[in-house]
Amino acid sequence: MMIEDLKHLLFARDEHASRSDYESDIINFNILHKPTENSRKLTYRHLIDLYALDNNVLLFKVLRQWWELNEDTQAILALQLAIARDPLPARFS
Amino acid sequence: MTHYLRGSAELILQPEPGEHLARETMEACLAHDDPDRFSAASLKSFSQNINGTWTQAGYLSGKAKKYQEQPKVSYVNVAYALFVSCLQAGCERYFRYLSDGRVVPSSALDTHDISKAKYTIELLNLNSPFLNNRRRKWWDELDELVQEHLDNDMDLSQLASVDLVPTRNKLSPFFSLTRQFFANQAETVLREQAPELL
């Protein structure tokens, strides 16, 4: 679930950052240290799928606001968001 | 990978801490619904990814061999889970709208779900005087319209559809209240004219 990437990304910006800020950080500034342009784009796309990275998505906005409350809980918080956005729940019910 | 995450939760949350979780068990879970969908290699790779995700979150430990762990869950996670629940499909069953404008937990809920409903009502301040006022006015308006329709022998489902069927992909304000107000009639209208909302 790319938790280390997510931690780095959110650490670099405050809670008001927009999706294009994150996009720019990953693709133009390569703050996640990806070796190729393609891998930077792929990383960005995966992170969007998992976490939205957009304050217009309420679930992400709340996650971002609560992110720094307790560092130990970040991995589960990220997992919760990823599961909530998981599109195919019925397959395994 | 993410498509199978939620399905795997059942498996992860089942066994006791310390118990070994074989990769084959996860593969079987992923293949359960449609055994021919994935090759053996894909199943192995998906299982490794999903097990990796649960490991990062603290639910599993070990590298090649995975064991169940008791994750460190805090109040932040609990609050987030409660918050998520109010955005899930079917969440309207948690709430009951009253003619005085208030929203309360539905009486059909068990104690666990009542606490979720209460939490959501408080968190989102759903009983603020402003909202209560708006809801009460809307309820009264619906009441009058229904009376008018009945007096003139007009079709109530027409009336219901005006406020239940989305216009330009948007729901009318107080959709859930309107839906509850029209009860069975609302469900019929939605089935016929906006089945995607059911």
Side-chain angles (χ1 to χ4, degrees):
Chain A
M1 64 174 178
M2 312 169 78
I3 184 67
E4 291 307 319
D5 286 341
L6 183 67
K7 282 182 180 176
H8 273 113
L9 193 65
L10 299 189
F11 184 72
R13 294 268 182 185
D14 71 13
E15 63 183 67
H16 304 294
S18 68
R19 184 183 273 188
S20 56
D21 291 333
Y22 295 124
E23 181 179 13
S24 172
D25 285 349
I26 297 169
I27 296 174
N28 300 333
F29 298 103
N30 195 19
I31 66 164
L32 301 179
H33 308 291
K34 301 295 168 186
T36 64
E37 190 181 342
N38 246 349
S39 62
R40 296 201 280 275
K41 285 182 180 162
L42 270 176
T43 301
Y44 171 67
R45 219 154 348 131
H46 283 318
L47 286 170
I48 294 287
D49 281 347
L50 286 165
Y51 307 115
L53 304 182
D54 180 349
N55 278 333
N56 293 314
V57 176
L58 198 54
L59 284 178
F60 174 74
K61 188 177 178 179
V62 175
L63 171 131
R64 186 62 194 91
Q65 282 171 349
W66 294 356
W67 189 248
E68 277 133 38
L69 288 179
N70 183 344
E71 203 178 322
D72 290 343
T73 67
Q74 288 175 345
I76 294 181
L77 209 53
L79 178 73
Q80 287 176 291
L81 176 55
I83 288 182
R85 285 171 58 77
D86 196 355
L88 285 177
R91 291 187 62 81
F92 292 92
S93 59
Chain B
M1 175 189 81
T2 176
H3 295 192
Y4 309 102
L5 201 50
R6 202 184 307 189
S8 67
E10 232 170 281
L11 195 64
I12 299 289
L13 302 176
Q14 246 173 22
E16 293 297 309
E19 201 168 303
H20 174 226
L21 180 77
R23 203 191 61 234
E24 291 75 15
T25 314
M26 182 58 81
E27 289 177 14
C29 168
L30 298 181
H32 178 264
D33 227 33
D34 190 352
D36 301 322
R37 187 164 174 205
F38 304 116
S39 67
S42 301
L43 275 179
K44 185 177 170 189
S45 151
F46 287 158
S47 298
Q48 280 170 341
N49 283 342
I50 288 178
N51 283 346
T53 294
W54 288 107
T55 307
Q56 286 182 353
Y59 286 79
L60 297 176
S61 65
K63 285 200 167 160
K65 241 182 158 190
K66 296 293 185 189
Y67 296 92
Q68 295 284 139
E69 288 294 334
Q70 189 77 53
K72 286 190 192 125
V73 177
S74 88
Y75 72 97
V76 184
N77 305 114
V78 175
Y80 197 65
L82 288 166
F83 183 71
V84 168
S85 70
C86 72
L87 297 174
Q88 279 173 348
C91 63
E92 68 276 4
R93 75 178 180 87
Y94 285 91
F95 306 105
R96 188 99 199 127
Y97 299 93
L98 305 181
S99 57
D100 64 6
R102 278 180 305 144
V103 51
V104 295
S106 163
S107 54
L109 300 175
D110 60 28
T111 43
H112 178 64
D113 283 347
I114 286 177
S115 66
K116 281 181 169 180
K118 273 189 185 158
Y119 175 84
T120 306
I121 290 168
E122 281 166 26
L123 182 77
L124 301 178
N125 201 11
L126 296 180
N127 278 327
S128 70
F130 172 77
L131 281 174
N132 282 358
N133 211 3
R134 292 272 313 268
R135 271 194 226 104
R136 195 185 62 244
K137 279 190 182 152
W138 180 233
W139 186 286
D140 291 345
E141 207 174 313
L142 285 174
D143 242 355
E144 277 173 31
L145 285 167
V146 165
Q147 203 49 53
E148 204 179 295
H149 272 62
L150 290 175
D151 291 345
N152 296 314
D153 217 10
M154 291 193 294
D155 185 6
L156 273 184
S157 62
Q158 290 281 0
L159 175 64
S161 70
V162 170
D163 289 301
L164 288 170
V165 178
T167 40
R168 281 186 238 113
N169 273 329
K170 272 198 163 172
L171 293 178
S172 308
F174 302 123
F175 171 84
S176 296
L177 184 157
T178 312
R179 184 176 179 181
Q180 187 198 297
F181 183 92
F182 284 105
N184 290 341
Q185 208 131 29
E187 301 312 305
T188 312
V189 165
L190 291 176
R191 250 196 317 278
E192 287 168 358
Q193 299 181 44
E196 70 278 9
L197 296 179
L198 295 174

